[in-house]
Structures are given as structure tokens and as C-alpha cells.
Amino acid sequence: MVAKPRTVPIRVTKNSQRFIILVMIVILIALLFGIRPAGILFIPISPTHERSVTTEKDTLGLDYPQGIAANHKKEWLYVTSSKNSRVFVFDKNYEKIFDFGEDALKIPVFVAVDKKGTVYVTDRAQKAVLLFSQDGVFKRKLKLEEINNPLAITVDDKNNIYVSDTGKEHRILKYNADGKLILKFGHKKKADSPLKSKGGLFFPNGIAVDNKQNIYVADSNNGRIQIFDKNGEFKKIIITGGLPRGIAINKKHNVFFIADALRHKVYMYDLKTGKERANFSQLGSSESDVAFPNALVLTGNELEKILIVDRENSRVQIYTTRLSASTVGKLLRPYLPWLPLPLLVFLMLFLISRRRRYIVSDCFATAVLKDPELVGLVRSTKLLSISPTLFEKLGENQILDIFNRKPSKSARYNHSFAQRIRKEHKLTISQSEALALAHHKGIYQPVLLACDKKIIKAAEYYHIEVMDPKKFFKIKE
């Protein structure tokens, strides 16, 4: 009697072996780095801490830093120190070079650098924007129209200046390189909910501009990011919660980062969808912690380094999305006990995939029955499958024990497939069943034991491995 077909695992072919390897690699990554990766190509995992940047703990050290900017050409870093009334400058190795501004600045807050290297600093006490050369030489105090209380500041690729005003009206003002007002938008409004009061701002503390001149504003006290087009028209709200302050865009990889001073974390969002991709850091004062992150900037060839102003710890924290040998070592250390597990699973699947299941055709069975010396070799083969028709025939002759099969058991196969190939290739019932068994997908490599030319030709058509009796018994000897 023909048994009903059943669902079985996929046969391990060369392609499926590659798939298994890929799955195991994914499992290994999940075990090592956690189940929630950042999800973009240049960031295989959430950014990892690289180092901290501090100064000597004296009267001239960083004290209450709030703003940060980079001169990408010189590879210099500018950090405002509010309580010291100056700006600190670090080289590409994060060593302090010099500081400036003690005679011109009172309470410096945010800082920006244009393509020419000009440094712009907002001063809360003076309610002004001051200009310095890249070497820290004071140039002048900008006379900006309609500004009351400048706070956040950034400069785009065309050297246009964007300043957030938190005076009577909380808004964004845009000036050209000469300081002429060319755009203003936004108004003071404490939103009842993050999605309401579009265009209303309440203490905007961060500004960034993307490749399309869209303007991203950290609407801090409304717990959201608002996006405006180049004309200042409202486009979109991204709800962040917390207290978003600094904001930086990675234009190369279509993500942006915000520093949340309330939750003491940095969040990464997709530039196109606005969905959160990852978050990192935590409140504290240890090596990788932050306390009230206030601003951030991206550096490196791929903008892979995220430099965060760690305000209350008076330092700059550097995170990176690029894996170094030391970073990999740190990540692997906690998971070393689990490391052998996926490797063992892979090894087990690999070994199983190398085992063969032999399907006995009627001509092969006839060859065995003719030569009693071959019976012992057949009995030593555990993975044998017999078609139902051949099973019944051998059972009637009470010789199933030769093939290590009890009369109550038979192999299963796809009955409809057997019927189809029987008609297409003009096979006997027993031959079509044997071929269907060999085509049946399972975890072992199926091998059809046959000697009839017709069934061998059909097997080749379906890319089924065939072994004649001579070759089979040569292997078994």
C-alpha cells in the first residue's frame, strides 16, 4: 500500500549548504552582538565607545562644555567651555593644541566652522555671534538682523549661517556669508502633543542641513525633530521624546544622530523614513558613560566617528561605527562561552549533509538476490529506502530482512510526482517510486542505486545522483 506524502526538511544541496552557512553566520552575529543590530551597511552593530577626550584638571581645563564643531580640512576639533569663557582646540589625535576667546567670550555655547575655516561661536551672555579665525584670532561680533538670543548655530556647504533664536520668538534665522538675513521661520509654541503645533518651536537647541537643503531642527522642549524645506516650509515631525539637543547628519549614509540630554543617550535615525535605527550610551561617569550630552559632530572619511559633548563630565566622548581589532575583542569577551555553540551546530549540519541515503531500485535488489555474498554488505548499510511496490514484493518473499526492513515499515514519497514521471519517462511503477524517493527532499544526500538505463536516464534529467551496484559494493568493501 502506498503511503501518503509528508513534509520533510529541505535536501542539503550545494546551494542549501551555502544557505546553512549564511544562517549560522547570522546566528553567530546575533549571539555575539545582540539581536538588534543597527541595520545599515556601514554600521554592522550599534556604535561602540572608542575613547574619551579630556584636558588636565586645572583652571584651564574643559569646564561645562556645550558645543562642538570640526574643521575637516585641518582635522581640528573645537569645543566650547562655558565656565572658562573660551574655546579649546584639539588636533586629529585629540591632543589639545591651544585655546582662545578668553578676552572676547563670556558664556560660549554652540560653535560652527565654515568651509573657509571661520569659527562662529554663540555667546549666551552677550546674546551675540562672534567670529574667529581658525587659529583663534578674534575677528568681529556679527551684527545679525532681528536676533535676540542666539543659541544653536550651523553653517551649510554654501557658507549660509543658520541660528536658532530663543528670545521673544523661538525661531530659525538664516543669513548669507555677509550676515544678511535671507530667511526666517518658526514661532514660539509649547506643543500640547508632539504631533501638534507644526512649525511651533520651544527652545530649539540644534540645527542641521542635508544635501537637499532641508533644515532639521531639534525642537528640544517639545521632544521632537522638525524638518523644514529650504524655504522654511514645514515638512515633517519626527517624535523623539526626551530632550533632543545636538543634531548631526551623515549625508553619505542617510542617517542622522541626536544627543538626548534628558535620557543621556545618542539616537540614530533613518534620514528617509525617520525611524530609529539604534541608540547607545548611558548615564554615568565611567569610561563610556555620558551625563547630559549637549551636542555632537561627525568626523572621519565615512563620518564614522561620533563625537559627543559630555557636559557634566567635562569631556568629549568618541564612539565609532567602524570595528577595530580591539573593539572586536571587547565585544567578543562577554560572549566567548557561547562562541562554540553555533560552530558545533554548523559542524553537526555539515556532517549530516555529507551522509547518504541509498534508494534501492528493483534491478539493484535483483542483483543482490542473485549473489548471497552481497547480502552482508547490504545489511551493513543503515540508510536504505525501498519503494512501496518493491517493499511489498520483498515482503511476500519474506526477504525484507536482507535490507534491514521490517514488514511494517516502508519509505514515503511524493505520489503525484511518481505518477507524472512514470508517464513522461515510461517507467514501471517500482522504478517511478524509486525515482520519486530519490527526488524526495530530505536532510541526507539521496543516491539512487540502479542499473537500468531507462531509470538512469530519467535520474540524470532530474539531477539525481545514481550509483550502479559495482560502484556501491566497491565503496562498501
Side-chain angles (χ1 to χ4, degrees), residues 189-255:
K189 179 65 177 179
K190 182 68 175 77
D192 296 329
S193 71
L195 289 176
K196 292 184 178 180
S197 304
K198 298 174 181 178
L201 302 171
F202 203 52
F203 292 97
N205 272 265
I207 312 171
V209 183
D210 68 13
N211 286 328
K212 297 180 180 179
Q213 295 295 301
N214 293 314
I215 305 160
Y216 292 67
V217 180
D219 187 8
S220 302
N221 288 37
N222 282 327
R224 62 189 182 182
I225 301 295
Q226 291 203 62
I227 305 173
F228 302 85
D229 67 16
K230 63 181 180 180
N231 299 314
E233 296 295 327
F234 170 82
K235 290 187 68 176
K236 186 177 181 179
I237 286 176
I238 298 174
I239 301 174
T240 63
L243 189 66
R245 293 178 74 88
I247 181 169
I249 296 176
N250 187 322
K251 300 173 184 178
K252 293 185 178 183
H253 297 286
N254 293 317
V255 294

Side-chain angles (χ1 to χ4, degrees), residues 402-448:
I402 294 176
F403 297 93
N404 286 326
R405 290 293 178 272
K406 295 180 181 179
S408 60
K409 292 185 179 181
S410 65
R412 297 181 180 182
Y413 66 100
N414 189 316
H415 186 63
S416 60
F417 178 76
Q419 289 181 328
R420 179 164 59 86
I421 59 176
R422 181 188 172 192
K423 293 179 181 179
E424 291 178 357
H425 298 276
K426 298 179 181 181
L427 302 174
T428 65
I429 295 177
S430 178
Q431 287 175 334
S432 64
E433 290 174 347
L435 198 62
L437 283 170
H439 189 265
H440 200 62
K441 295 178 179 179
I443 196 168
Y444 299 102
Q445 293 282 9
V447 179
L448 178 63

Side-chain angles (χ1 to χ4, degrees), residues 9 21 118 134 192 231 257 371 388 400 437 473 477:
I21 292 172
T118 303
Q134 63 184 5
D192 296 329
N231 299 314
F257 298 83
D371 191 346
L400 273 173
L437 283 170
F473 290 123
E477 286 177 351

Side-chain angles (χ1 to χ4, degrees), residues 3-21:
K4 294 181 180 180
R6 60 170 180 166
T7 302
V8 297
I10 297 174
R11 182 173 62 201
V12 184
T13 61
K14 289 184 178 179
N15 288 333
S16 58
Q17 284 179 11
R18 294 190 190 102
F19 177 74
I20 290 173
I21 292 172

Side-chain angles (χ1 to χ4, degrees), residues 347-409:
L347 180 60
M348 180 184 70
L349 290 175
F350 177 78
L351 292 175
I352 289 175
S353 70
R354 305 309 300 171
R355 296 194 68 183
R356 293 176 169 181
R357 176 175 290 279
Y358 298 97
I359 293 86
V360 178
S361 66
D362 48 3
C363 64
F364 179 86
T366 302
V368 172
L369 295 175
K370 287 181 178 179
D371 191 346
E373 294 182 2
L374 302 179
V375 172
L377 293 175
V378 172
R379 282 178 173 170
S380 67
T381 305
K382 294 182 179 180
L383 296 175
L384 279 175
S385 292
I386 303 173
S387 68
T389 300
L390 184 58
F391 183 91
E392 292 177 3
K393 182 179 178 180
L394 296 174
E396 290 173 358
N397 295 322
Q398 297 182 347
I399 50 177
L400 273 173
D401 62 314
I402 294 176
F403 297 93
N404 286 326
R405 290 293 178 272
K406 295 180 181 179
S408 60
K409 292 185 179 181

Side-chain angles (χ1 to χ4, degrees), residues 205 220 241-246 258-267 283 290-295 309 311-312:
N205 272 265
S220 302
L243 189 66
R245 293 178 74 88
I258 63 164
D260 190 326
L262 186 64
R263 291 181 288 189
H264 313 283
K265 286 183 176 293
V266 174
Y267 291 82
L283 174 62
V290 298
F292 295 93
N294 201 69
V309 173
R311 192 184 75 190
E312 296 301 315

